[in-house]
Structure formats: C-alpha cells, structure tokens
Amino acid sequence: MKRRTFVGAAAAGLPAFSILGAGSARAQVKEIRMIEAGGKSGESVEVGYIEPFTKKTGIKVIRESPNPLGKLRALVESGQTSTVLMELGSGGMLQARNLKLIEPIDWAAVAPQPMFPEAKHEYGFGYQYFSTIMAWRAGAKAPKTWADFFNTKDFPGKRCLPDYPNYAISFALLATGVTPDKLFPLDVDTAFKKLSEIKKDIAVWWKAGAQAPQLMKDNEVQYAICWSGRVVGDPAFGVNFAGGMADLSYFTIVKNSKAEDRAAAYKLMHEMSIAANQAKAATVVSYTGPSPELDALLPKDKLAEYPTSKQNKAVQWVENAEWWAANGEAVNKKWEAFKLSL
C-alpha cells in the first residue's frame, strides 16, 4: 500500500486550528504533554514523530521521563488533566487498563496507515518494538546465559538492574534454570531469593533507561540488564540477545485528559503509523515501529541491531502481558517490600 498523505489543511501545513477544528475549543491547543521512557528512545520520538507533527499542526509536544506505572497512577488519582500521553510496556498497559488509568483509543480519529495487529490495541498504540537484554562493559568477562549473569563469583563486577519487577523477576527466574517456555506463571518467591543472592553486587536499581549504559561507561558498574537500543552498535559494550525479552511499547491516553489534547494526540499517533517516520526514528535508536512496510526502509548493515531481526527474534521470549495484568498489583507490593529490605 502506498504511503497515505495528509489532505486539505494538513497537507498545506496550516496551523493547529485548521486541522483540529476551527471555531471549537480544540483551536486553542498549543501544546500537549507526554511521559515517555527518556534517553535515545525519547529522542527518537522527537525526531521521527514530534517534528513532523509540529510542522504540520503547529502544536508543541512537551516530553517528560521516566515512565513508571506509579507515576501514571499518581497523575490520575491527583485529578490532573495536563498530561495526555503515557508510554507503557504491554504488561503495564494492561495493568493500567484494569486500574482504569487510561482510556480507549479512538482509532477512527487516528486513521493509521497499515500496522501489525498486535500494535493496534484497544487501549494503546504499539509504536515501538524493543528488547530487554544483558550487556556488559567492554573488556569484562562475557556472560552467555542468565545463570552466568547472576554468577558474581565467576563473572565479578557490579550490576545495574531495572527497578521494574516485570524485568528483574523474570530474568532472575531464568538464572535459576527455568526455561522461557516454563517461565509463566512466575514463581515470584524463587525470583526474590535469587535476587537476594546477589543484592550486595547490585550497585544501582535504574529507573530511566539511559542510566545503565552511562554507569557502565563510567565504570561504576560492569554488567547491566538494559534496553537493547541503549547499547547495541556501541563498541563500549558487549551485548547478548539470547534469553532476552521481546516486548512492544505503547502510547496510551491518560484518563481524564482534555478532549482537545486527545484530538491532538491522535494526530501525533497518525504520524507514528507512517513507515518513513518510523525509519527516521530507527536512525536514533535501534528499535522498530509497527509498519509492515518498514523493513525495506531500514539500513541492511544494521539489521542485526534491531529486536525484530530474524536472528535476534529467534533467541528471545515474549513478555506475558496478560499474566502481569492479572498479577502485577500483588507483585508490585512484594517488590516494594523487597526493596525496603535491601
């Protein structure tokens, strides 16, 4: 299918009121706010999607990071109406849906170009495929398995782990010998025992994705669990996709956000559906968008860096979002108790 082009006002590059409805309250929107993962991922959103959106509509987008589910919950419970978009992983999105923190997507308003089915969710626009993998500072002994990664005796060095239970718990279980196909339902207690075994070697629990690679570059830690796009292709790091977790990150509509902000957000989502824009985003960070037309636009010499490339996809497992939606609230409480014990 050929790329769809904007028509009328949008194609002419007229200001926001021409696109969002002249003579209505929507004409007054000058900026919208989003919470995203930060770092290179946030920069890719800026270059790939926000820049063409602002050029066509005149509407600015204010970015904030990081994006833990707790921040979304605090926003909604406080009654805020200024933030309209929240980036969440698949499990976080379903938890947010169950907690009534987000609203359904108006797909007719988005009018997307072709997308993979799993990216077009009732409650989220799946804009970015990503992987969570093991990485290490160049020169450190290279782990081949999660058992190696958690073996601080034979692979000495400080670790940096995500302060997100849906990542740390799963990898801890894999380190005990559980195979990916037997991972769910998660044995949470066994995972906490494994994490406790190496707690003295965990220097930092990161919240923002940019932290782990920077800490490794500064030699404050030697090993990290991190998002692949932050480390692949950088000679400062060694990486291993084997046993990594593949997931899809979604932009969601924050509950109680303003109608005019939602209308603008849907226009931004449309930009996210355009394959050419996704290719621009992929020049900033090695993640891939949801267009079936994207592969032809990606540089062939970098395919090994992308989470959806054949060689990387084959050695990863996929996050079980439904399990986390059903159990995430209880696990989060145990996680907070575990963190207090450190």
Side-chain angles (χ1 to χ4, degrees), residues 25-328:
R26 296 179 183 178
Q28 304 306 313
V29 63
K30 295 181 179 179
E31 68 178 35
I32 58 174
R33 304 183 71 87
M34 69 159 55
I35 298 176
E36 40 83 14
K40 284 188 176 182
S41 179
E43 292 170 18
S44 76
V45 173
E46 185 77 36
V47 171
Y49 312 122
I50 293 175
E51 287 181 4
F53 165 77
T54 299
K55 184 177 181 180
K56 290 174 181 177
T57 67
I59 301 172
K60 296 180 179 180
V61 180
I62 308 301
R63 296 189 288 118
E64 178 187 337
S65 64
N67 60 324
L69 183 62
K71 182 182 287 189
L72 171 62
R73 190 168 192 167
L75 283 175
V76 174
E77 290 178 352
S78 71
Q80 78 84 41
T81 58
S82 60
T83 301
V84 63
L85 287 167
M86 179 79 180
E87 180 180 354
L88 295 168
S90 58
M93 177 189 66
L94 295 185
Q95 284 180 256
R97 177 201 64 188
N98 292 353
L99 293 168
K100 302 187 186 308
L101 302 177
I102 55 178
E103 300 182 1
I105 302 291
D106 183 346
W107 283 103
V110 176
Q113 291 195 7
M115 296 172 62
F116 292 124
E118 68 272 14
K120 196 175 178 182
H121 193 277
E122 181 184 1
Y123 280 85
F125 185 109
Y127 88 102
Q128 184 185 81
Y129 290 86
F130 69 100
S131 296
T132 306
I133 62 174
M134 64 178 80
W136 54 93
R137 178 179 164 86
K141 187 177 179 181
K144 295 182 179 179
T145 66
W146 286 107
D148 289 345
F149 184 93
F150 277 74
N151 182 348
T152 58
K153 179 181 178 181
D154 295 330
F155 296 82
K158 291 296 182 182
R159 267 65 170 167
C160 181
L161 270 62
D163 192 8
Y164 297 92
N166 57 311
Y167 298 118
I169 287 175
S170 297
F171 294 122
L173 276 178
L174 291 175
T176 69
V178 176
T179 57
D181 61 317
K182 303 293 185 182
L183 195 54
F184 292 91
L186 295 176
D187 184 344
V188 175
D189 292 336
T190 296
F192 280 129
K193 288 179 182 177
K194 192 64 179 178
L195 289 167
S196 295
E197 289 177 9
I198 66 164
K199 63 182 181 182
K200 65 180 178 60
D201 295 296
I202 302 173
V204 177
W205 294 90
W206 62 260
K207 289 184 179 292
Q211 285 179 268
Q214 189 60 54
L215 288 165
M216 285 191 288
K217 283 188 175 181
D218 294 342
N219 205 22
E220 304 242 354
V221 302
Q222 289 70 51
Y223 296 90
I225 296 174
C226 54
W227 291 323
S228 61
R230 313 298 176 117
V231 289
V232 295
D234 190 328
F237 310 113
V239 301
N240 188 355
F241 275 90
M245 184 182 78
D247 200 359
L248 182 56
S249 193
Y250 292 83
F251 270 111
T252 63
I253 298 294
V254 179
K255 191 172 183 63
N256 299 326
S257 50
K258 300 172 186 175
E260 59 268 30
D261 289 351
R262 291 198 301 273
Y266 292 142
K267 297 295 181 183
L268 177 56
M269 286 181 176
H270 179 88
E271 293 298 318
M272 294 178 183
S273 76
I274 298 173
N277 289 346
Q278 294 170 28
K280 288 180 185 176
T283 65
V284 179
V285 67
S286 297
Y287 296 142
T288 41
S291 172
E293 302 171 359
L294 178 59
D295 282 359
L297 304 179
L298 296 174
K300 298 297 181 285
D301 61 336
K302 291 186 177 293
L303 289 179
E305 298 179 7
Y306 297 114
T308 51
S309 68
K310 186 176 180 179
Q311 67 191 75
N312 293 332
K313 191 174 183 180
V315 297
Q316 296 178 82
W317 52 279
V318 179
E319 171 69 300
N320 188 328
E322 291 292 347
W323 189 92
W324 280 102
N327 299 279

